[in-house]
Amino acid sequence: MLKKRRKSNLSVLMVTSEAVPFAKSGGLADAVSALAQELDRSGHDVRILMPRYQGIRRDSLYRYPTPFSVRVGQEIYTTAVYEGRLGDSSVVVYFVDHEELYAREGIYGTSAGGYPDNLRRFSLLSHAAFAIGAFIGWEPEVLHAHDWPTAIVPVIAQRRAAIGAAKPATVLTIHNVGYQGTFPVGELPHSGLSWIDLSESQLLHYDSLNLLKAGIVNADMVTTVSPQYATEIRTPRRGFSLDKVLAARKENLVGILNGVDYDVWNPEKDPYLDAKYTPETVALKDRAKHTVQSELGLPITNEMPLIGMVSRLVDQKGFEELASPGFGALPDILESGETQVAILGSGEERYEYYLRTLAHRYRNLSVVIGFDERLAHLIEAASDFFLMPSRYEPCGLNQLYSLRYGTLPIVTKCGGFVDTVEPASARGGTGFFIEEACPSAISEAALAAVGMWHSEHGRIDTMRRAAMKLRFGWEKAAPSYVSVYERALAAVRS
Ligand code: ADP
């Protein structure tokens, strides 16, 4: 069995459906692992609990010899627990190994939709957070849940405390309030919660079970991934119907900006780049530009800028406004003839199809459908501008990578973008804002950036250098989480 180094300070169990490098569908997976490692470096005892999905190989993990039993309401699940480490850190990761529920290809579902038994799957994980302590002989002071899959952790903690169990402090982080974990009321028994929890002040929301809502109501502290988003989700426009619930927790809702792993996203040592570069040698970006132009079949030229995108092709990311037949902004941008556009992404079929159609029509557009880590790095380095016309953006990672690569973001005025990008002005700036996520505003902002590239290249250069010097590391975010844990612990003790 792997031995865990004994530490002082806080003990925290992250309960999560995703963590890199084991399972990732989006920014949540990056955030959980990076935060855990940063807290570990600061001396806290942080561990992770997650499912063992099919893709997580057992042969490099330690298997506990005894079966692990978890009661979820009337049902008792018998599973195995595996243990591994997060990279070369001392963060221990516990995997709940339930063949029937977790040994599948997807995390949440397939391209046809979510798995029909998701409530069972993630309720088991949430209840396992309470059973694992006695099993491994380690009781964390803080349980940190992430998004809807583990949002009932705070609810379970409250219910157990009501019948005399010790209560750990609970923290819920909302990475995206657009995904709430809603299920038909009849599925309640699968959650292991009782009919008493089925009230408007708890699980029930517009005639459905709503896991995220129940988590927000019951957590000692709630966080989200940028200060601006913490404000926005308390408004009807961005709260996805949970604005009032969130507003009621205003005093205990904190926005903490996600960080970037600069070991991975750094043009000075990026292994995918032939020519690494610094703010002083930013002109070397052109080498990456030529590589991308040549690999993606775009004309090789320095005479026009390149706008890059790496994204899930979904409504949230602004693709309806950018790439809908007869309506989107992209043809407008391309027909200016003044810029090239390179898009890497996968997602909704209608966007994949239409983007491919446009790429056939316009020589200055190249589209790659798929998930490609190397190309994502190359596009970051090669592009002059990075376009993110999101309808809403809790934090956003790509604009942070872009800044480090001297690639000026063109972003909607919302969420994490507001906290991280400074609009171009006489004083400088690091990017460009799209006033509203609508086609005319998208093309206006993109063409303004392109115009500046053609007519005021010196200004673009100054902005690039300023952007490259900014840092959004986890060493800034982690102490804010420690403060949140301490507030949650104080709330439990009071
Ligand atoms: P979200 O988590 O909402 O998708 P973020 O900007 O916070 O958006 O994070 C997205 C992450 O996924 C980034 O690291 C981005 O580079 C990566 N990514 C998205 N689509 C692709 C793709 N097609 N190929 C490679 N990486 C991708």
Side-chain angles (χ1 to χ4, degrees), residues 24-28 30 176 258 265 310-312 316-317 344-346 368-376 380 386 388 393-399 401:
K24 169 171 172 173
S25 81
L28 156 69
D30 292 315
N176 189 335
N258 277 341
W265 295 94
V310 179
S311 182
R312 291 185 288 128
Q316 185 212 326
K317 299 293 181 185
L344 165 64
S346 61
V368 178
I369 302 297
F371 197 96
D372 185 334
E373 193 71 23
R374 173 181 167 270
L375 193 53
E380 282 290 359
F386 205 88
M388 301 179 79
E393 193 58 70
C395 173
L397 286 174
N398 271 313
Q399 89 278 14
Y401 306 154

Side-chain angles (χ1 to χ4, degrees), residues 67-85:
F68 177 50
S69 293
V70 184
R71 175 186 276 280
V72 180
Q74 298 304 310
E75 205 156 348
I76 293 179
Y77 293 88
T78 303
T79 72
V81 173
Y82 283 79
E83 183 183 309
R85 295 276 163 148

